[in-house]
Amino acid sequence: MSGGGTRTDALVPAGAAGPNPWLIAVVVAVATFMEVLDTTIANVALPYIAGGMGVSEDEASWVVTTYLVSNAIILTASSFLARLLGRKRFFLMCLALFTASSVLCGFAWNLNSLLLFRILQGLGGGGMVPVSQSILADAFPPAKRGQAFALFGVAVVVAPVVGPTLGGWLSDNVSWHWCFLINGPVGLLAMVAIAIVLRESQAAERQRAAFDLLGFVLVATFLGSLEVMLDRGLEDDWFGSSFIIRVAIVCAVAFVLMIPWEMTRRNPMIDVRMVASRQFGACFLVMLATGAILLATTQFLPQLVQQDFGYTATWAGLVLSPGGLVTMLMMFVVGRLSGKVQPKYLIIAGAIMAALSMYDLTRVYGDVGFWFFATSRMLLGIGLPLIFLSIMTASYDGIPPDKTDQASALINAARNTGGSIGVSLAVNVLAHREQFHQMRLAEHAIPSSVQFQNTLQQVTSYFTAHGSSLAQAQQQAVAWIGQAVQTQATLLAYVDVYWVLMLVSLAAIPLALTLRKVKLGGTAPAAH
């Protein structure tokens, strides 16, 4: 992580300064966990937010969109600002902004104020996490960085899993406001701990390089408009909406202008040439796929069990918990394996486990229980650490020391953007396949069908036995059959979603095979 010149924003190594480096790792991981948690904690609380604010659930979904967009925008500028201000100062400023805006989200008086505070929260969180791995790299000697990044990886991968569980419990038992207010005391404690534990080098001077303003605007516009388009496309009927068309045009223009501009700059905001290289480019694409699997499954599995199996928000979140525990254990196992096994083989093993998890969910039917879903999530909990930590090692192989911050920003952007792509893909597959299955099932639910008549008679008899008149029972029976058709169509659509996500998982295998062998024993910065 250090180049040949003076390290301008280095932290004094923990061993020399006094504090235990593991203490640094813990406080950094706690801050990171809190930020990543907020990417998913609001998802299960959206119905509560909509009801509390007196708005539709569609309007309330902007609470998630604004956070993702602001997070993506600040991401590319974080490495420059960290070099300019110093990592410790920049980290504390971002953490303070994130904590304050989280509390303000909890006290928001209407939807517009909540969206404003979520934008500020995303800016603070998006700037904070990409420099966390650099802090760890300075605090630990190379021989021990693998274990430190395993702890950091726990925060990155487990936090999105804990988000729905915690958000569901708070929304069911306390209030949706506490999904944000809970960050207040945790953030303050983390700020105090970081201010005490971290030591900025007094001898080093901060780097002052030219800021690629136009590059930042182009990259931020491209990522921000892409996030909006992916998140709002289905709700606004994609290109049937003039708003989506305008956003898509802005996204395309920014992308077309960004590539030649960034390729010809001496100090570009992001070095897009790295993405064109075989090693880093393959890792970038694998991280896109991994982000898609992580975020899509984290959002859709709780949604499935709530809609079709009657789970509360709390129990829907608890479905993910066993997988989170497996992920935590696997992070440290993979941390040791990464020094003995080539990353390409670990990525392949992880992709196979993720694909098996998705395949397992395609076997869902109406009578499965809690542990069916929990077991499939545990399989994913085995696969994700194998991919994440291996990408950390492989993606930095051959990257010059002065480009590691650029590599970190790009890998972070890949995970965030991949998550949005995965969720958007799953949402669209679910919507279109639900319509398809409903049409096919309705073809068999016609009055002339013998099966329909038999079912109608049986259900009518059931309702009459429970006190309904014959006319009422017939109406109730028809409504029950219609609801059963809708439920079955939804369940089949979810099966199609998991087939698609299984194919996304398998796509990582040929990409991993293109990776070259790396020197084992060293480690690379972790990715958010």
Side-chain angles (χ1 to χ4, degrees), residues 319-397:
V319 164
L320 306 178
S321 298
L325 294 175
V326 171
T327 299
M328 291 176 64
L329 295 174
M330 281 298 298
M331 277 291 179
F332 297 103
V333 172
V334 178
R336 293 185 176 275
L337 285 176
S338 60
K340 302 175 182 178
V341 183
Q342 285 293 327
K344 63 192 301 181
Y345 301 125
L346 294 177
I347 291 173
I348 291 171
I352 291 173
M353 294 303 297
L356 287 174
S357 172
M358 297 301 99
Y359 173 74
D360 194 39
L361 287 169
T362 64
R363 301 184 300 110
V364 67
Y365 58 93
D367 293 332
V368 297
F370 176 90
W371 285 106
F372 172 85
F373 300 107
T375 302
S376 68
R377 191 69 191 192
M378 290 165 73
L379 282 174
L380 188 63
I382 295 173
L384 286 178
L386 289 166
I387 301 174
F388 264 83
L389 291 183
S390 302
I391 289 176
M392 294 173 199
T393 302
S395 62
Y396 288 89
D397 182 62

Side-chain angles (χ1 to χ4, degrees), residues 391-412:
I391 289 176
M392 294 173 199
T393 302
S395 62
Y396 288 89
D397 182 62
I399 299 294
D402 61 340
K403 293 290 186 181
T404 53
D405 285 339
Q406 290 273 359
S408 173
L410 285 168
I411 289 294
N412 292 333

Side-chain angles (χ1 to χ4, degrees), residues 106-434:
F107 288 109
W109 51 91
N110 58 33
L111 182 62
N112 290 334
S113 62
L114 178 58
L115 296 182
L116 173 62
F117 299 143
R118 280 288 276 179
I119 290 173
L120 296 176
Q121 191 185 35
L123 291 174
M128 177 174 65
V129 176
V131 299
S132 299
Q133 59 264 36
S134 301
I135 292 175
L136 291 179
D138 283 336
F140 281 83
K144 294 185 178 180
R145 285 178 189 164
Q147 297 175 40
F149 290 131
L151 176 62
F152 185 80
V154 168
V156 171
V157 180
V158 176
V161 176
V162 175
T165 306
L166 181 60
W169 187 86
L170 289 172
S171 299
D172 282 341
N173 297 283
V174 189
S175 167
W176 67 264
H177 299 275
W178 279 97
C179 292
F180 304 109
L181 292 175
I182 196 172
N183 289 335
V186 178
L188 287 174
L189 289 174
M191 288 172 61
V192 172
I194 289 168
I196 294 172
V197 170
L198 295 186
R199 296 287 186 270
E200 195 86 58
S201 174
Q202 299 298 319
E205 296 179 358
R206 300 186 186 105
Q207 293 180 5
R208 296 186 179 275
F211 182 67
D212 182 15
L213 178 60
L214 182 57
F216 170 71
V217 171
L218 291 173
V219 173
T221 302
F222 166 65
L223 290 176
S225 56
L226 180 63
E227 291 280 359
V228 170
M229 189 169 64
L230 291 171
D231 199 62
R232 302 296 305 176
L234 184 64
E235 288 83 354
D236 293 343
D237 193 27
W238 287 103
F239 296 107
S241 163
S242 58
F243 170 71
I244 294 297
I245 291 175
R246 289 194 296 269
V247 172
I249 291 172
V250 170
C251 181
V253 171
F255 179 76
V256 170
L257 296 176
M258 175 188 72
I259 299 300
W261 177 267
E262 293 296 270
M263 289 187 70
T264 55
R265 296 305 98 188
R266 230 176 131 183
N267 295 300
M269 183 56 58
I270 60 169
D271 192 345
V272 295
R273 286 167 292 195
M274 285 195 296
V275 181
S277 66
R278 187 186 78 174
Q279 184 80 356
F280 188 86
C283 291
F284 184 89
L285 293 175
V286 172
M287 185 58 86
L288 276 175
T290 307
I293 296 297
L294 175 62
L295 267 294
T297 55
T298 300
Q299 178 167 326
F300 277 82
L301 188 55
Q303 185 175 304
L304 167 63
V305 297
Q306 283 180 283
Q307 285 185 357
D308 282 22
F309 294 87
Y311 285 36
T312 64
T314 301
W315 277 100
L318 287 173
V319 164
L320 306 178
S321 298
L325 294 175
V326 171
T327 299
M328 291 176 64
L329 295 174
M330 281 298 298
M331 277 291 179
F332 297 103
V333 172
V334 178
R336 293 185 176 275
L337 285 176
S338 60
K340 302 175 182 178
V341 183
Q342 285 293 327
K344 63 192 301 181
Y345 301 125
L346 294 177
I347 291 173
I348 291 171
I352 291 173
M353 294 303 297
L356 287 174
S357 172
M358 297 301 99
Y359 173 74
D360 194 39
L361 287 169
T362 64
R363 301 184 300 110
V364 67
Y365 58 93
D367 293 332
V368 297
F370 176 90
W371 285 106
F372 172 85
F373 300 107
T375 302
S376 68
R377 191 69 191 192
M378 290 165 73
L379 282 174
L380 188 63
I382 295 173
L384 286 178
L386 289 166
I387 301 174
F388 264 83
L389 291 183
S390 302
I391 289 176
M392 294 173 199
T393 302
S395 62
Y396 288 89
D397 182 62
I399 299 294
D402 61 340
K403 293 290 186 181
T404 53
D405 285 339
Q406 290 273 359
S408 173
L410 285 168
I411 289 294
N412 292 333
R415 193 193 70 85
N416 289 353
T417 305
S420 296
I421 292 173
V423 170
S424 180
L425 176 64
V427 166
N428 281 274
V429 170
L430 181 66
H432 290 97
R433 296 299 292 179
E434 185 176 358

Side-chain angles (χ1 to χ4, degrees), residues 24-67:
I24 296 176
V26 169
V27 295
V28 168
V30 167
T32 302
F33 185 92
M34 184 174 61
E35 191 277 332
V36 181
L37 184 79
D38 272 65
T39 61
T40 58
I41 194 172
N43 289 343
V44 295
L46 288 180
Y48 297 90
I49 294 173
M53 294 287 185
V55 298
S56 68
E57 197 166 329
D58 178 59
E59 291 176 296
S61 67
W62 278 100
V63 171
V64 176
T65 304
T66 50
Y67 184 85

